[in-house]
Amino acid sequence: MALAGVDTKRQLVAGLVERQRRRAARHGQPIDLLTWAAVHRRMLKPDVKFNLTNHLYLAEIYGSSARNKVIYKAGQMGASEYAISYALHACSERKATTLYVFPTDRHVSDFSKSRFGPAIESSQHLQKLVVEARAAGGKRGSDQVTLKRIADNFLYFRGAQVQPDGRAPQLKSIDADVLILDELDEMDPRAPAIARKRLGHSDIAETLSISTPSYVGAGIHAEWMETDQREWHVRCPHCGEWQPMSINQVVLEWDQVGRPVAWHGMLEGRAWVACRKCGKELDRLAAGEWVAMYTGRDVVGYHLTKLFSAQIQLLEIVESLKTTDETERKETFNQDLGLPYTPRGGQITDTLLDECRREYGHGPVADEETVMGVDVGAVLHVVIRGPADGETEERPQRWAGEVDTFGQVANLIKQYNTITCVVDALPETRSARAFQASQPAGLVWLAYYVGTPVGTKNVASAQWNKDEGVVNLDRTRSLDETMSRFYDKVNTLPANARSIPDYYTHLKAPVRVIETTSNGDRVAKYVESGADHLAHAENYCTVASKAANWLMW
């Protein structure tokens, strides 16, 4: 079918730019971002023009003045070039100090040299705005990899690394007006909250989060769920129905393991999107509009998918889904469909948890010594277990739930005669340390997960430091031990376990998958499909139960 004419698309974009320019001139306002980009970034880099003809979906994003934006996207959708323009425009036109955060320092270096440098070189206007390190007209300039002076304002590029103790020195001492978080899902999950604190004294205080997703409930997907959730709608040229597009409008039939076996256009050697109403072919590249699922929410969210990208043939997406390789499937969902992936790996189920239930209830048992695990977040999630039964080896759960303060945790320690308590050291390290100091020596230990992709090389999954009161955990291996206690029916649950708020949901959230690293290694890891605090409290409880064997007092 015929696609929307290129001339028509150009007219749409040109008309929008001109209307924005006139509106700004009429009200004496700074030039808006879309007009600024069309005028001052006519060349994105040498030999690449700024052209929204095949990216009509970007026009509204460039024109958005929302204070907080989330771009939840497939790969190669033009979002990074938008972010560059957004950062430069904020510095030059809005007099804003901008903090641009990447997953690592390596990302900063690569971006500054390969993306930002060519952007400046391709615009005489931007070349004039970047004040070099030498004094220029009395100004103290800067043109470094991690710091640029744009006119009278600064643009900081920083990596998102966070140290084991929760500090991120590279993000300190920056008072920013605009924060950009690029590739959020690749960052240390503690970094965004640290970076957002840099906006505390700004009247502008804008945030832009950009990323391809990874897993359900994690990273950019979690942020997207809090937005107004805007999807790109196109109009069916046959019946007039306005609609978003999904892969289920392309694929007609899936097999039992989720591979496409029939799709629209299969007999023609191609693939196309069918109208959800009349079933005829949509023009997926036609002019459309963004429609919010939840109007009125403060955060604006845009979902960008290659289903409306001119840079890909839909048959490529269909073919890439015809695999059972989890890494390849995840890549297609994330990079092509702009969707989080739900792994088909090892995961606790409702049935398994039900099989762990026994005829007892929560509560302390006279003369029984217990162990405790505490996961730290907005509230404290606690799990307490008794010792292993001499005959069955079963370990009963004596209490599980959430409390608000460490003082309440201290009361539980007394009530349940707890002899070892392992507490998540992050993100509230200072509070956790104070709690540890308030208890008898050797009772409370602070836990850190080892942040390496393949775990530690030590025989044990936990390494205890008596002098520091710290236990370092191999995240995957320690969770393996905890999950095995449920599979083996060692960790038992009270008869009314289903009524424990959030317990089943949290225990089912961690999913064990096998992924291929950048150097080709196949490694196991746990990914979270939602809130998982009680699962980690169980993990810390498992670690506490093995303390006597490891500490060797």
Side-chain angles (χ1 to χ4, degrees), residues 249-292:
Q249 290 167 264
V250 179
V251 177
L252 288 164
E253 183 181 350
W254 306 83
D255 67 13
Q256 293 182 341
V257 293
R259 296 174 298 186
V261 295
W263 56 89
H264 292 291
M266 185 176 181
L267 299 179
E268 307 160 44
R270 65 187 187 103
W272 47 268
V273 184
C275 172
R276 64 185 182 184
K277 182 178 180 181
C278 71
K280 295 181 180 180
E281 184 174 356
L282 290 177
D283 180 357
R284 65 187 184 91
L285 305 182
E289 61 181 24
W290 288 103
V291 179

Coordinates of all heavy atoms in Angstrom, one line a residue, residues 249-292:
Q249 N -0.6 -7.3 16.3 CA -1.3 -6.9 15.0 C -0.5 -7.3 13.8 O -0.9 -7.1 12.7 CB -1.5 -5.4 15.0 CG -2.6 -4.9 16.0 CD -2.5 -3.4 16.2 OE1 -1.9 -2.9 17.1 NE2 -3.2 -2.7 15.3
V250 N 0.7 -7.8 14.0 CA 1.5 -8.4 13.0 C 1.4 -9.9 13.0 O 1.2 -10.5 11.9 CB 3.0 -7.9 13.1 CG1 3.8 -8.5 12.0 CG2 3.1 -6.4 13.2
V251 N 1.7 -10.5 14.1 CA 1.7 -12.0 14.2 C 0.3 -12.5 14.5 O -0.5 -12.0 15.3 CB 2.6 -12.4 15.4 CG1 2.6 -13.9 15.6 CG2 4.0 -11.9 15.1
L252 N -0.1 -13.5 13.7 CA -1.4 -14.1 13.7 C -1.5 -15.3 14.7 O -2.5 -15.5 15.4 CB -1.9 -14.6 12.4 CG -2.2 -13.6 11.3 CD1 -2.3 -14.2 9.9 CD2 -3.6 -13.0 11.7
E253 N -0.3 -16.0 14.8 CA -0.3 -17.2 15.6 C 1.1 -17.4 16.2 O 2.1 -17.3 15.5 CB -0.7 -18.4 14.8 CG -0.9 -19.7 15.6 CD -1.2 -20.9 14.7 OE1 -1.6 -20.7 13.5 OE2 -1.2 -22.0 15.2
W254 N 1.1 -17.8 17.5 CA 2.3 -18.1 18.2 C 2.3 -19.6 18.6 O 1.3 -20.2 18.9 CB 2.5 -17.3 19.5 CG 2.3 -15.8 19.3 CD1 1.2 -15.1 19.2 CD2 3.4 -14.9 19.1 NE1 1.5 -13.7 19.0 CE2 2.8 -13.6 19.0 CE3 4.8 -15.0 19.2 CZ2 3.6 -12.4 18.8 CZ3 5.6 -13.8 19.0 CH2 5.0 -12.6 18.8
D255 N 3.5 -20.2 18.7 CA 3.5 -21.6 19.2 C 3.6 -21.6 20.7 O 3.6 -20.6 21.3 CB 4.7 -22.4 18.5 CG 6.1 -21.9 18.9 OD1 6.2 -21.1 19.9 OD2 7.1 -22.3 18.3
Q256 N 3.8 -22.8 21.3 CA 3.7 -23.0 22.7 C 4.9 -22.3 23.4 O 4.8 -22.0 24.6 CB 3.7 -24.4 23.1 CG 2.4 -25.1 22.7 CD 2.3 -26.6 23.1 OE1 3.3 -27.2 23.4 NE2 1.1 -27.1 23.1
V257 N 6.0 -22.0 22.7 CA 7.1 -21.4 23.4 C 7.3 -19.9 22.9 O 8.3 -19.3 23.1 CB 8.5 -22.2 23.1 CG1 8.4 -23.5 23.8 CG2 8.7 -22.3 21.6
G258 N 6.2 -19.4 22.3 CA 6.2 -18.0 22.0 C 6.9 -17.6 20.7 O 7.3 -16.4 20.6
R259 N 7.0 -18.5 19.8 CA 7.6 -18.1 18.5 C 6.5 -17.9 17.5 O 5.5 -18.7 17.5 CB 8.5 -19.3 18.0 CG 9.7 -19.5 18.9 CD 10.5 -20.7 18.4 NE 9.8 -21.9 18.5 CZ 10.2 -23.1 18.3 NH1 11.5 -23.3 18.0 NH2 9.5 -24.2 18.4
P260 N 6.6 -16.9 16.6 CA 5.6 -16.7 15.6 C 5.6 -17.8 14.5 O 6.6 -18.2 14.0 CB 6.0 -15.3 14.9 CG 7.4 -15.2 15.2 CD 7.7 -15.9 16.5
V261 N 4.4 -18.3 14.2 CA 4.3 -19.3 13.2 C 3.4 -18.9 12.0 O 3.4 -19.5 10.9 CB 3.7 -20.6 13.7 CG1 4.6 -21.3 14.7 CG2 2.3 -20.4 14.4
A262 N 2.7 -17.8 12.2 CA 1.9 -17.2 11.1 C 1.8 -15.7 11.3 O 1.6 -15.2 12.5 CB 0.5 -17.8 11.0
W263 N 1.9 -14.9 10.2 CA 1.8 -13.4 10.4 C 1.2 -12.8 9.1 O 1.2 -13.4 8.0 CB 3.2 -12.9 10.7 CG 4.2 -13.2 9.7 CD1 4.6 -12.5 8.6 CD2 5.1 -14.3 9.8 NE1 5.6 -13.1 7.9 CE2 6.0 -14.3 8.6 CE3 5.2 -15.4 10.7 CZ2 6.9 -15.2 8.4 CZ3 6.2 -16.4 10.4 CH2 7.1 -16.3 9.3
H264 N 0.7 -11.6 9.2 CA 0.2 -10.9 8.1 C 1.3 -10.6 7.1 O 2.4 -10.1 7.4 CB -0.4 -9.5 8.5 CG -1.6 -9.7 9.3 ND1 -2.8 -10.1 8.8 CD2 -1.9 -9.4 10.7 CE1 -3.7 -10.2 9.8 NE2 -3.2 -9.7 10.9
G265 N 1.1 -11.0 5.8 CA 2.1 -10.8 4.8 C 3.1 -12.0 4.6 O 4.0 -12.0 3.8
M266 N 2.8 -13.1 5.3 CA 3.7 -14.3 5.3 C 3.8 -14.8 3.9 O 4.9 -15.2 3.4 CB 3.1 -15.3 6.3 CG 4.0 -16.5 6.4 SD 3.2 -17.6 7.7 CE 4.5 -19.0 7.7
L267 N 2.7 -14.9 3.2 CA 2.8 -15.5 1.8 C 3.4 -14.5 0.8 O 3.7 -15.0 -0.3 CB 1.3 -15.9 1.4 CG 0.6 -16.9 2.3 CD1 -0.8 -17.2 1.7 CD2 1.5 -18.2 2.3
E268 N 3.5 -13.3 1.2 CA 4.1 -12.3 0.3 C 5.6 -12.1 0.5 O 6.2 -11.2 -0.1 CB 3.4 -10.9 0.4 CG 1.8 -11.0 0.3 CD 1.1 -9.8 0.9 OE1 1.6 -8.7 0.7 OE2 0.2 -10.0 1.7
G269 N 6.1 -12.8 1.5 CA 7.5 -12.6 1.9 C 7.8 -11.3 2.6 O 8.9 -10.8 2.6
R270 N 6.8 -10.8 3.4 CA 7.0 -9.6 4.2 C 6.1 -9.7 5.4 O 5.5 -10.8 5.7 CB 6.6 -8.3 3.3 CG 5.2 -8.2 2.9 CD 4.9 -7.0 2.0 NE 3.5 -6.8 1.7 CZ 2.8 -5.9 2.3 NH1 3.3 -5.0 3.1 NH2 1.5 -5.7 2.0
A271 N 6.0 -8.6 6.2 CA 5.1 -8.6 7.3 C 4.5 -7.2 7.4 O 5.2 -6.2 7.1 CB 5.9 -8.9 8.6
W272 N 3.2 -7.1 7.8 CA 2.6 -5.8 7.9 C 1.7 -5.8 9.2 O 1.3 -6.8 9.7 CB 1.9 -5.4 6.7 CG 1.0 -6.4 6.0 CD1 1.3 -7.3 5.0 CD2 -0.4 -6.6 6.3 NE1 0.2 -8.1 4.7 CE2 -0.9 -7.7 5.4 CE3 -1.4 -6.1 7.1 CZ2 -2.2 -8.1 5.3 CZ3 -2.7 -6.5 7.1 CH2 -3.1 -7.5 6.2
V273 N 1.3 -4.5 9.6 CA 0.5 -4.3 10.7 C -1.0 -4.2 10.3 O -1.3 -3.5 9.4 CB 0.8 -3.0 11.5 CG1 0.0 -2.9 12.7 CG2 2.3 -3.0 11.8
A274 N -1.8 -5.0 10.9 CA -3.3 -5.0 10.5 C -4.1 -4.1 11.5 O -3.8 -4.0 12.7 CB -3.8 -6.4 10.6
C275 N -5.0 -3.5 10.9 CA -5.9 -2.6 11.7 C -6.7 -3.5 12.7 O -7.2 -4.6 12.3 CB -6.9 -1.9 10.8 SG -8.2 -1.0 11.7
R276 N -6.8 -3.1 13.9 CA -7.4 -3.9 14.9 C -9.0 -4.0 14.7 O -9.6 -4.8 15.3 CB -7.2 -3.4 16.3 CG -7.7 -2.0 16.6 CD -7.2 -1.5 18.0 NE -7.8 -0.1 18.2 CZ -7.5 0.6 19.3 NH1 -6.6 0.1 20.2 NH2 -8.0 1.8 19.5
K277 N -9.5 -3.1 13.9 CA -11.0 -3.0 13.7 C -11.3 -3.8 12.4 O -12.2 -4.7 12.4 CB -11.5 -1.6 13.6 CG -13.0 -1.5 13.4 CD -13.4 0.0 13.5 CE -14.9 0.1 13.3 NZ -15.4 1.5 13.3
C278 N -10.7 -3.3 11.2 CA -11.1 -3.9 10.0 C -10.2 -5.0 9.4 O -10.5 -5.7 8.5 CB -11.3 -2.8 8.9 SG -9.8 -2.1 8.3
G279 N -9.0 -5.1 10.0 CA -8.1 -6.1 9.6 C -7.2 -5.8 8.4 O -6.4 -6.6 8.0
K280 N -7.4 -4.6 7.8 CA -6.6 -4.3 6.6 C -5.3 -3.6 7.0 O -5.1 -3.3 8.2 CB -7.5 -3.4 5.7 CG -8.7 -4.0 5.1 CD -9.5 -3.1 4.2 CE -10.7 -3.8 3.6 NZ -11.5 -2.9 2.7
E281 N -4.4 -3.4 6.0 CA -3.1 -3.0 6.4 C -3.1 -1.5 6.8 O -3.6 -0.6 6.1 CB -2.2 -3.2 5.2 CG -0.7 -2.8 5.5 CD 0.2 -3.1 4.3 OE1 -0.2 -3.7 3.3 OE2 1.4 -2.8 4.5
L282 N -2.4 -1.2 7.9 CA -2.2 0.1 8.3 C -0.9 0.7 7.7 O 0.0 0.0 7.3 CB -1.9 0.2 9.9 CG -3.1 -0.1 10.8 CD1 -2.6 -0.1 12.2 CD2 -4.2 0.9 10.6
D283 N -0.9 2.0 7.5 CA 0.3 2.7 7.1 C 1.0 3.1 8.4 O 0.8 4.1 9.0 CB 0.0 4.0 6.3 CG 1.2 4.7 5.8 OD1 2.3 4.3 6.2 OD2 1.1 5.7 5.2
R284 N 1.9 2.2 8.8 CA 2.6 2.4 10.1 C 3.5 3.6 10.1 O 3.9 4.0 11.2 CB 3.4 1.1 10.4 CG 4.6 0.8 9.5 CD 5.2 -0.5 9.8 NE 6.4 -0.8 9.0 CZ 7.6 -0.5 9.4 NH1 7.8 0.1 10.6 NH2 8.6 -0.7 8.6
L285 N 3.9 4.2 9.0 CA 4.8 5.3 8.9 C 4.0 6.6 8.7 O 4.6 7.7 8.5 CB 5.8 5.2 7.8 CG 6.6 3.9 7.9 CD1 7.7 3.9 6.7 CD2 7.3 3.7 9.2
A286 N 2.7 6.6 8.8 CA 1.8 7.7 8.5 C 1.9 8.7 9.7 O 2.4 8.4 10.8 CB 0.4 7.3 8.3
A287 N 1.5 10.0 9.4 CA 1.4 11.0 10.5 C 0.4 10.4 11.5 O -0.6 9.9 11.2 CB 0.9 12.3 9.9
G288 N 0.8 10.7 12.8 CA -0.1 10.2 13.9 C -0.1 11.2 15.0 O 0.1 12.4 14.8
E289 N -0.5 10.7 16.2 CA -0.6 11.6 17.3 C -0.3 10.8 18.6 O -0.6 9.6 18.6 CB -1.9 12.3 17.4 CG -3.1 11.3 17.6 CD -4.5 12.1 17.6 OE1 -4.5 13.2 17.1 OE2 -5.4 11.5 18.2
W290 N 0.2 11.4 19.6 CA 0.4 10.8 20.9 C -0.8 10.9 21.7 O -1.4 11.9 21.9 CB 1.6 11.4 21.6 CG 2.9 11.2 21.0 CD1 3.7 12.0 20.2 CD2 3.7 10.0 21.1 NE1 4.9 11.4 19.9 CE2 4.9 10.1 20.4 CE3 3.5 8.7 21.8 CZ2 5.9 9.1 20.3 CZ3 4.4 7.8 21.8 CH2 5.6 8.0 21.0
V291 N -1.2 9.7 22.3 CA -2.4 9.7 23.1 C -2.1 9.1 24.5 O -1.5 8.0 24.5 CB -3.5 8.8 22.4 CG1 -4.8 8.7 23.3 CG2 -3.9 9.3 21.1
A292 N -2.4 9.8 25.5 CA -2.1 9.4 26.9 C -3.1 8.4 27.4 O -4.3 8.6 27.2 CB -2.0 10.6 27.8

